[in-house]
Amino acid sequence: MSYEKVAQAANKVVGTKQTLKALENEQVKELIVAEDADQKVLEKALQIAQGKGVSVHPVDSMKKLGKACGIDVNAAIVAIKK
């Protein structure tokens, strides 16, 4: 379900750095996080999301998440913007 949501989202940010920036600017409605991603990479984004009350939805695969974003590489985290 979340893969479809990512694919249909018109306004999204892919990747850790861009997600952190969007979170700090309070532009994020929800996060989609790949469970097979390195938790150290995601840790800061997840902490900020929790502090700001942003919902986090897990998906099983970085590869599938990247594909849902329309990119040819894996994606650890995607932010759907407000």
Side-chain angles (χ1 to χ4, degrees):
M1 180 212 143
S2 291
Y3 293 120
E4 293 165 16
K5 187 182 279 190
V6 169
Q8 293 170 356
N11 205 358
K12 63 184 169 256
V13 174
V14 182
T16 311
K17 287 181 188 174
Q18 293 90 335
T19 296
L20 285 171
K21 198 178 291 186
L23 278 167
E24 288 166 359
N25 293 329
E26 299 193 11
Q27 299 173 323
V28 178
K29 180 169 61 174
E30 57 191 304
L31 290 180
I32 312 296
V33 178
E35 290 180 333
D36 62 344
D38 183 352
Q39 289 303 305
K40 287 188 178 182
V41 171
L42 304 175
E43 194 173 334
K44 187 173 180 183
L46 294 175
Q47 285 177 349
I48 294 171
Q50 186 177 20
K52 294 188 181 282
V54 174
S55 60
V56 178
H57 304 283
V59 293
D60 61 343
S61 167
M62 289 175 60
K63 185 173 185 127
K64 289 180 188 174
L65 188 55
K67 231 177 196 147
C69 293
I71 59 176
D72 292 332
V73 294
N74 296 350
I77 190 167
V78 175
I80 297 179
K81 295 175 91 176
K82 295 179 182 175

